[in-house]
Amino acid sequence: MDMSFAPVQKAMFVPGRGAFPKPDESELAIGKSDTILSTADFNVPLLILNRQYCTIPDFDVERCVMQFRNACYGGEEALGGDAFRWSQVTVRVQLKRKAEGYLYRVGFYNLLLAYTSVCTFALNPVDGLGDRIGFLITLILAAVAFQFIVSQYLPNVSYLTILDQYTFLVFSLCCALLGIVSYVGIAEMSDEKRLEVDRMTLYIYLTTLTVLQIFFMIYGYTKRKEQLRHLEYGEMDLNKINYDAKIDSSINVVKKGLLKESKVPLKISETCAFVSFAGSAHH
């Protein structure tokens, strides 16, 4: 990152203890460093981020954190002033995605698609069985096509977002209704009994659909609120929720990781000699 806009020299300097007003206990103390920083009483901004020139229209810049740090290699803290130290300036820009457009374009469309499936009960369960099945299959294909198009505009992540889960729910309900309607149409029972079962199926499906819609509204609102709280977190709090020792731990390449290929005699005249070592995340 180009730090030419920051009020520090190229040889970055981290002020010592007492250079700034000491913060309350609720404020950030930077690790085990001798430096404690607080910007509570600063009259002159350390950094100005002009949001007028922001070129990421899908996000709002909510917060900008500037951190001064005096760092050393791990394990050398006990050496005190004899430890090799260097200065760091870290600028962390926290963004919030503008979710309203996705909510209306994806969530509201799926809501309409889900309740449109109820219209299949307007058709006769016996004489209109073929029309019922064709109507539901059309809805399922529409859901698949919609998900394919929307996936090109949604964030490409390795996990299921709440919108993905909601779309999958609507798709599953349509598939389940297709199976139930098909069974009611071909089951051996009198026409009066069939109409009664079909009516009960309508009430159960409509109730289940409404309950699931309310659940996802509450679930989505709660998750959204929880994620927005992360914008108030500092480095230590973010490290608690983002760092996984099994996934994010460092990989050390050591001598005992010598690969078998390095033990095979090689003819220098035929190939370039090499020695390979491997490190693994699983110890």
Side-chain angles (χ1 to χ4, degrees):
M1 176 179 291
D2 182 11
M3 296 298 297
S4 58
F5 58 84
V8 292
Q9 301 297 325
K10 291 185 178 179
M12 297 177 185
F13 168 72
V14 176
R17 181 184 295 274
F20 298 110
K22 187 175 181 180
D24 297 332
E25 294 181 358
S26 59
E27 298 186 46
L28 176 65
I30 304 181
K32 298 181 179 179
S33 172
D34 291 334
T35 304
I36 298 180
L37 302 178
S38 172
T39 58
D41 299 324
F42 279 35
N43 294 320
V44 180
L46 294 175
L47 181 145
I48 298 176
L49 182 64
N50 194 337
R51 295 190 292 178
Q52 179 181 354
Y53 304 105
C54 180
T55 58
I56 43 178
D58 290 338
F59 293 88
D60 280 330
V61 181
E62 287 291 308
R63 192 182 184 205
C64 183
V65 178
M66 190 171 186
Q67 181 187 77
F68 296 85
R69 184 173 184 176
N70 192 335
C72 67
Y73 292 111
E76 292 189 358
E77 296 88 350
L79 298 178
D82 295 332
F84 177 77
R85 292 182 175 272
W86 61 91
S87 301
Q88 290 180 345
V89 174
T90 302
V91 177
R92 183 170 65 247
V93 180
Q94 295 174 316
L95 309 177
K96 180 180 72 174
R97 182 178 295 276
K98 297 178 181 178
E100 290 76 12
Y102 296 100
L103 181 62
Y104 291 120
R105 289 197 299 266
V106 182
F108 187 67
Y109 178 88
N110 278 319
L111 178 66
L112 294 178
L113 187 65
Y115 277 98
T116 301
S117 63
V118 180
C119 296
T120 189
F121 290 99
L123 301 172
N124 188 281
V126 179
D127 300 333
L129 178 60
D131 294 333
R132 278 187 164 193
I133 294 176
F135 176 74
L136 289 174
I137 290 178
T138 301
L139 284 180
I140 292 173
L141 293 177
V144 172
F146 177 71
Q147 177 64 15
F148 177 76
I149 295 173
V150 168
S151 62
Q152 301 179 26
Y153 300 97
L154 291 177
N156 187 16
V157 295
S158 59
Y159 55 89
L160 290 177
T161 63
I162 296 178
L163 281 179
D164 292 331
Q165 296 173 14
Y166 182 62
T167 303
F168 181 74
L169 170 69
V170 173
F171 179 80
S172 301
L173 288 174
C174 290
C175 291
L177 183 59
L178 176 62
I180 294 172
V181 165
S182 301
Y183 173 77
V184 172
I186 64 174
E188 295 182 1
M189 62 181 75
S190 63
D191 290 344
E192 294 181 359
K193 182 67 174 178
R194 196 185 311 277
L195 290 174
E196 181 181 353
V197 172
D198 189 66
R199 191 178 302 109
M200 290 180 60
T201 303
L202 168 61
Y203 296 150
I204 295 174
Y205 178 77
L206 190 57
T207 301
T208 304
L209 181 61
T210 303
V211 169
L212 289 175
Q213 302 302 320
I214 297 175
F215 167 77
F216 258 91
M217 289 178 60
I218 298 175
Y219 175 69
Y221 175 78
T222 304
K223 284 294 184 180
R224 174 74 172 171
K225 200 171 182 180
E226 177 184 334
Q227 292 298 319
L228 290 178
R229 283 200 298 267
H230 293 175
L231 295 175
E232 303 174 1
Y233 287 0
E235 178 182 353
M236 297 179 183
D237 291 326
L238 291 174
N239 187 63
K240 292 178 182 178
I241 62 175
N242 291 330
Y243 179 75
D244 187 342
K246 295 181 179 179
I247 301 175
D248 302 323
S249 61
S250 59
I251 298 178
N252 297 324
V253 180
V254 295
K255 292 182 178 179
K256 65 179 182 180
L258 182 68
L259 297 181
K260 293 182 179 179
E261 63 183 20
S262 300
K263 301 177 183 180
V264 178
L266 297 175
K267 295 182 179 180
I268 300 180
S269 59
E270 297 179 357
T271 183
C272 296
F274 62 88
V275 178
S276 303
F277 298 87
S280 176
H282 306 286
H283 302 291

